[in-house]
Amino acid sequence: MGELQKPRGTRDVLPEEASRWRLLEDRARQVAARYGYGELRTPLFEVTELFRRGVGEDTDIVGKEMYTFLDRKGRDMTLRPEGTAPAVRAFLEHNLGAGPQPVRLFYLQPAFRYERPEEGRWRQHHQFGAECFGAAGAAADAEVIALAVDFLRTAGVADFRLRLNSIGCPACRPAYRAALREYYRPLLPLLCADCQERFGQNPLRLLDCKVDTAHAAGAPRTADHLCTDCREHLQGLEALLARLRISFDRDPTLVRGLDYYTRTVFELESPRLGSQSALGGGGRYDGLVELLGGQPTPAVGGGVGLERTLLALEAGGAPAPTVEPPQVFVASVGEEYALEAMGVASQLRSAGVRVITDPLGRSLKAQLKQAARAGARWTVILGEELSRGVLVLRDMAAGVQEEVPAGELLTRIDKGVV
RNA sequence: GUGGAUGUAGCUCAGGAGGUUAGAGCACCAGGUUGUGGCCCUGGGGGUCGGGGGUUCGAGUCCCCUCAUUCACCCCA
C-alpha cells in the first residue's frame, strides 16, 4: 500500500461493483415512485446546531460520532450523520407544510459517522430513506414500513426480520420512565458502567443493554405503560401490517438511539450479517418539526442502508449483475489502418452501438484476444481489403467471418445485434 | 472508544525454530501463426515482504511503535 490511501472506513466502488449499486438505486427509485415519494436532495453538510437539536445532545451520534468542522468564516458545520433532521429542515425552509398533506419525501444519499469501522459499518455509508409529514395515524407508519420492506424484497434480500415497538409519547413516557427507574434503582450497583450512566440520562436505553439481558427481561414493559392513544396507535399499526402481510416481532426492548422518536420504532435486520445486522430502521417523530421551529406536525420515517443491503444480497448468493459489454470491437491490421478503425468506431457509436478499439497498436491476434475477453459480439477487421471497399465482419461466438461492403456494416450489425 | 486476530506480486497463498539474487497458481504482456481469439507450449514484466524504529554479522522470519483490515463489545445503516 502506498502512503496515500482512502480515509479509514470509506470505500471505493469499482465498475463491476458499481453495477450492483446502480441496480439497487434504480430499485429504490422505482419503489419510492410506487408509493408517491418525491426525491429530496439536501447538502452534504449542515450547520452543526441542526443535529445537536434535532438528533439530541445525549445521543451517541451527537456525542461522539459527528464529522464537525469550522468553515473559513468560523461557522460550525457537520457532515450529515443521518437523514431525518436535514429533511425536516428542508420541509420547514421551503414551507412544505403549506401545501397538500401529507408530504412524502425520499432520499438516496451518504451519511457520515466517526465510528470504529468493521465489516458492515463504515464512516461513510449510504441510505435510502423516506419521510412522511403531516399524517398522525398509523396508516402512515404502515406505509413507511411497507416501503422499506418492499424495497428489500424488490432488491432481492431473501430473509429479514421486522422488529416493532412503541416507546410512547410525552403523555405516557414520563410515567414509564419513572417506573423503569424504580425497577432499576435497587439493581444499580449490579449494572454495567454504561448502564449506570443510562440510568440518569436515558433510562429507556437500559432496556437494550446486551451485557445483562436478564435485568431487562424482568423490567416493566413499554406496552403495559402506554396511554390509550399510544396503545391504539400501536394496535392500529399491527392490524395494518397484518393486512399488508408483513410479519413482525414485537420487541419491548427495542428503543433506538435517537432522541426524536415517539410511539412507533422499528428495525429491519438480517440473520446473515454478523454483528452489524440492522438493514434499516426508523420510527415516528411527532415532536421534531416543532422542536426545529415549525408548527406541530406529525411525521414518520425510516431508512435502509445500501451497503448492508448489498452485503445481505451477496450473503444470500444473489448473482452479480453484468456490466454491459461492448457490441463491436474494431480491429485493424497494422498502423496504416488504425485511423480507419477510429473512423469506423466513431460512425458506429453515432448510431448508438457500444464500440471499443485497440489504442495500443497491437497485433491482430492480440486484438482478437481483447475482443473476446471484452465480450464483444462482433469484431470488425480493417485491412488491405478496404481498398476494394470491403471489410471483414467476424461473429465471435460462432467463430465465422465474411467480407462485407463498408456501407452495409451498420445494417448487418443492427440485424445481428438487435 | 475497549479487547483480540491478521497484513508476502492485481488475486489466492508457500516461505520448516532468522542465513546468500523472495516463490507458486491464476491474471497481465509477448512469441510460437509474414492478417485471426477462446486450448497448448515458451518466455517476460511486475514485490518499498503494510510503514517506521530496534535486536543481530545477517530480519519476510524476533521485539516495539504505527497504519490498514477484520472479529467481538459499543452503537447503528
Side-chain angles (χ1 to χ4, degrees), chain A residues 5 26 36 42-43 53 64 68 172 218 225 261 283 293 342 348 357 363 386-387 389:
Chain A
Q5 305 173 26
D26 289 348
T42 64
R53 287 220 309 236
K64 49 193 182 190
T68 295
C172 53
H225 291 260
Y261 288 117
M342 295 294 284
L348 291 172
T357 61
S363 68
L386 259 188
S387 60

Side-chain angles (χ1 to χ4, degrees), chain A residues 67-306:
Chain A
Y67 272 95
T68 295
F69 60 95
L70 297 180
D71 75 4
R72 288 174 178 271
K73 287 236 171 124
R75 287 172 288 229
D76 199 350
M77 300 293 181
T78 293
L79 261 35
R80 112 180 120 228
E82 60 97 49
T84 299
V88 172
R89 195 225 78 225
F91 174 86
L92 291 174
E93 191 157 340
H94 301 281
N95 202 20
L96 299 183
Q101 304 296 304
V103 173
R104 296 180 168 102
L105 302 170
F106 84 92
Y107 47 81
L108 219 36
Q109 63 188 20
F112 304 84
R113 292 178 204 168
Y114 192 93
E115 296 185 272
R116 181 149 166 180
E118 63 179 296
E119 179 77 350
R121 180 171 68 184
W122 291 280
R123 290 183 174 179
Q124 174 176 359
H125 77 280
H126 297 76
Q127 283 187 26
F128 169 44
E131 314 287 347
C132 177
F133 296 93
D141 306 47
E143 178 177 288
V144 165
I145 292 172
L147 189 157
V149 166
D150 213 342
F151 167 65
L152 289 175
R153 286 181 183 161
T154 304
V157 177
D159 50 347
F160 52 86
R161 186 166 81 110
L162 170 63
R163 293 191 298 142
L164 191 66
N165 193 23
S166 174
I167 58 170
C169 66
C172 53
R173 206 183 308 166
Y176 176 60
R177 207 183 287 242
L180 265 183
R181 279 222 176 85
E182 229 168 277
Y183 168 80
Y184 274 104
R185 180 162 287 120
L187 301 172
L188 204 46
L190 306 174
L191 301 179
C192 68
D194 286 338
C195 283
Q196 309 224 358
E197 190 132 337
R198 288 170 178 151
F199 181 87
Q201 292 200 327
N202 191 349
L204 285 188
R205 298 196 38 211
L206 288 165
L207 290 175
D208 69 348
C209 176
K210 281 90 182 174
V211 177
D212 194 344
T213 46
H215 292 145
R221 309 206 140 202
T222 43
D224 303 328
H225 291 260
L226 295 178
C227 61
T228 309
D229 286 350
C230 284
R231 196 177 322 114
E232 285 175 359
H233 188 91
L234 181 58
Q235 285 166 353
L237 174 56
E238 291 180 348
L240 284 161
L241 291 174
R243 171 66 185 79
L244 296 173
R245 286 198 222 144
I246 295 172
S247 57
F248 58 88
D249 297 325
R250 281 284 295 283
D251 183 350
T253 69
L254 177 62
V255 177
R256 296 187 61 79
L258 294 89
D259 285 355
Y260 51 60
Y261 288 117
T262 53
R263 294 188 171 168
T264 309
V265 292
F266 68 93
E267 251 177 54
L268 294 156
E269 77 183 4
S270 165
R272 302 175 182 270
L273 288 191
S275 76
Q276 305 306 322
S277 61
L279 293 167
R284 176 164 284 281
Y285 47 93
D286 288 340
L288 184 57
V289 175
E290 188 177 9
L291 182 71
L292 293 178
Q295 295 298 310
T297 305
V300 56
V304 178
L306 299 187

